[in-house]
Amino acid sequence: MMNEILIQLSQQWPSWLWNIALILFSFLVGFLIKLIFIPLLRRQAIQQESYSVFRSFVRRFNRILSVFIPLILFNSLLPFAQFNERTLRVVSRTNELLLVSFFALVLIQGIKVFEDYLYHRFDINKENNLRERKIRTQIVFIRKVVVTLIIVISLAIILLSFDSMQKIGAGLLTGVGVGGIIIGFAAQKSLGNLLAGFQIAFTQPIRMDDVLVVEGEWGRVEEINLTYVVVNIWDKRRLVLPITYFIEKPFQNWTRTTSEILGTVFIYTDFTVPVQLLREKLTTLLSGHPLWDGQVNVLQVTDFKERTMEIRCLMSCRNSGQAFDLRCYIREEMIAYIHTNFPHALSKTRVDYEEKVQKDF
């Protein structure tokens, strides 16, 4: 019934006006669908405070649906258009290419919606987040691989839709032997990086948000890409390293099994300082301090130098960031305590002065 009505209208209207009407009708219906459903989804998202799949859907698809829905509608109405044969071929081909492109975008955004759900399910904003960081590392890498595959396949479909590209592809197949060898050598490092990425994603020598000491720099893993890793240095610099670096070279991972870490403070004093009083002072400073986890509290004389005595304060913390702040606090308070109560015990250089008596002969 609907098909008969559309055929009758197409015969009654001028061709150019009917074609414009089809295009405008497609965009109008797409706009109305978006106008109806997006507010409904937003209303549902408002009712959910922390996370909402509706909120994620609106954020990811709001702009894409404005074009994707009209393209689908216009593609279904294209048989009723009044184009000549050549124009119809061009319009049909253009519409197909746009549909392939936007369908790839829809798939990518759908993957990101699922990724948002997994990010909510495995939240790293807590102290003991080892399991969450493991899973997030795998999620990020798998998402990038899948998105890359979608883009490559979409481009292949678009290129193969052109006859000229098919001829080029057939010509390349005749030289696949030599070409394969050349491509193999050219892509050896890239394939090595990709395989190293898979190894890191599943064996996980590093994970997202891991604390590393690499190339003499302290920082956190900010990005794990297909071919490189970005480390956010403590002073906001970014250290970019090839992903194979973490397979081939040694580095320190302070959160490999747990984020807990021991902090150390070294104090150099004279031999006369009362060590037991310093030990009691350390206990007083740590007790009740919010950065101390209450597990390790040790003060020991660890070494003697020629002029000084080395005292090590050892304390435990929940993570490396808190350990750094607690070490600074203990260092400042201990030196102030020694300076106030035992100023003679600060590190000093001894000089013996003997008065020489002059004899007259």
Side-chain angles (χ1 to χ4, degrees):
M1 185 65 178
M2 181 61 68
N3 293 345
E4 294 177 358
I5 295 174
L6 291 174
I7 292 173
Q8 291 177 0
L9 289 174
S10 65
Q11 293 175 352
Q12 295 174 2
W13 290 29
S15 298
W16 63 271
L17 183 59
W18 174 250
N19 294 332
I20 293 175
L22 286 181
I23 297 173
L24 293 178
F25 177 76
S26 300
F27 277 95
L28 179 62
V29 172
F31 176 76
L32 291 176
I33 292 175
K34 178 183 173 183
L35 190 65
I36 294 171
F37 283 99
I38 294 298
L40 292 176
L41 295 176
R42 283 178 175 163
R43 192 175 298 112
Q44 292 293 327
I46 292 173
Q47 298 175 2
Q48 303 175 6
E49 297 179 358
S50 60
Y51 168 79
S52 171
V53 67
F54 301 109
R55 186 184 302 115
S56 178
F57 183 87
V58 171
R59 182 161 58 93
R60 300 295 185 184
F61 285 96
N62 189 23
R63 294 182 179 179
I64 295 178
L65 293 179
S66 301
V67 180
F68 187 61
I69 294 177
L71 282 175
I72 295 176
L73 290 174
F74 182 71
N75 187 67
S76 62
L77 295 175
L78 196 57
F80 304 101
Q82 296 296 319
F83 293 110
N84 57 51
E85 184 178 352
R86 182 178 179 181
T87 304
L88 180 61
R89 199 164 45 242
V90 173
V91 173
S92 178
R93 176 63 59 82
T94 303
N95 190 68
E96 289 176 2
L97 297 180
L98 290 175
L99 275 176
V100 170
S101 302
F102 276 90
F103 184 71
L105 287 176
V106 167
L107 288 178
I108 292 172
Q109 296 303 102
I111 292 171
K112 290 182 178 179
V113 170
F114 184 61
E115 184 183 31
D116 291 340
Y117 165 73
L118 293 177
Y119 275 19
H120 170 71
R121 176 70 177 78
F122 303 101
D123 188 11
I124 64 172
N125 294 320
K126 59 180 183 179
E127 293 179 1
N128 190 11
N129 59 1
L130 178 62
R131 177 170 174 265
E132 286 74 14
R133 290 188 290 109
K134 283 182 177 180
I135 295 175
R136 278 209 179 190
T137 301
Q138 295 174 346
I139 291 171
V140 170
F141 188 81
I142 292 173
R143 187 253 300 168
K144 290 180 178 178
V145 171
V146 173
V147 168
T148 302
L149 288 176
I150 291 174
I151 293 174
V152 170
I153 292 173
S154 301
L155 288 175
I157 292 173
I158 291 173
L159 292 175
L160 290 174
S161 65
F162 295 97
D163 294 335
S164 58
M165 294 296 127
Q166 292 177 355
K167 293 178 181 179
I168 293 174
L172 289 175
L173 288 175
T174 59
V176 68
V178 177
I181 296 174
I182 296 173
I183 293 172
F185 279 110
Q188 183 177 6
K189 187 172 289 292
S190 298
L191 290 175
N193 285 332
L194 184 61
L195 293 175
F198 276 109
Q199 186 174 351
I200 284 177
F202 293 98
T203 62
Q204 297 194 339
I206 60 172
R207 293 175 293 268
M208 296 295 295
D209 206 43
D210 263 349
V211 177
L212 306 181
V213 177
V214 56
E215 295 291 315
E217 301 284 0
W218 182 96
R220 292 181 178 273
V221 177
E222 185 177 59
E223 296 180 31
I224 300 179
N225 294 295
L226 297 180
T227 56
Y228 64 92
V229 174
V230 179
V231 179
N232 186 355
I233 307 302
W234 65 273
D235 58 0
K236 302 304 180 184
R237 289 177 295 139
R238 271 33 176 205
L239 182 64
V240 181
L241 296 166
I243 201 164
T244 52
Y245 179 97
F246 297 94
I247 302 297
E248 300 170 353
K249 296 185 179 181
F251 60 93
Q252 295 183 39
N253 188 337
W254 288 11
T255 53
R256 179 68 179 87
T257 57
T258 177
S259 60
E260 296 176 354
I261 194 170
L262 294 179
T264 57
V265 171
F266 289 97
I267 303 173
Y268 297 92
T269 67
D270 189 67
F271 303 109
T272 58
V273 70
V275 176
Q276 183 58 34
L277 293 180
L278 294 184
R279 188 174 287 117
E280 294 173 0
K281 179 62 177 178
L282 176 63
T283 301
T284 302
L285 292 173
L286 291 177
S287 298
H289 197 284
L291 298 181
W292 185 51
D293 64 3
Q295 295 184 17
V296 178
N297 168 22
V298 177
L299 186 143
Q300 295 174 317
V301 177
T302 53
D303 198 6
F304 282 116
K305 304 296 182 182
E306 293 179 356
R307 297 185 176 89
T308 59
M309 179 171 61
E310 182 185 80
I311 298 175
R312 185 186 68 182
C313 303
L314 194 63
M315 65 218 74
S316 56
C317 294
R318 298 174 186 86
N319 55 61
S320 58
Q322 293 183 2
F324 179 82
D325 292 336
L326 184 59
R327 288 169 59 203
C328 293
Y329 169 76
I330 294 298
R331 193 179 291 116
E332 294 169 3
E333 293 297 323
M334 290 296 289
I335 199 65
Y337 175 73
I338 295 173
H339 183 269
T340 302
N341 297 277
F342 315 105
H344 62 279
L346 294 174
S347 178
K348 56 189 175 184
T349 302
R350 293 181 176 85
V351 177
D352 290 335
Y353 174 75
E354 294 181 1
E355 186 176 357
K356 191 175 181 181
V357 179
Q358 184 177 4
K359 297 182 179 180
D360 297 330
F361 294 97

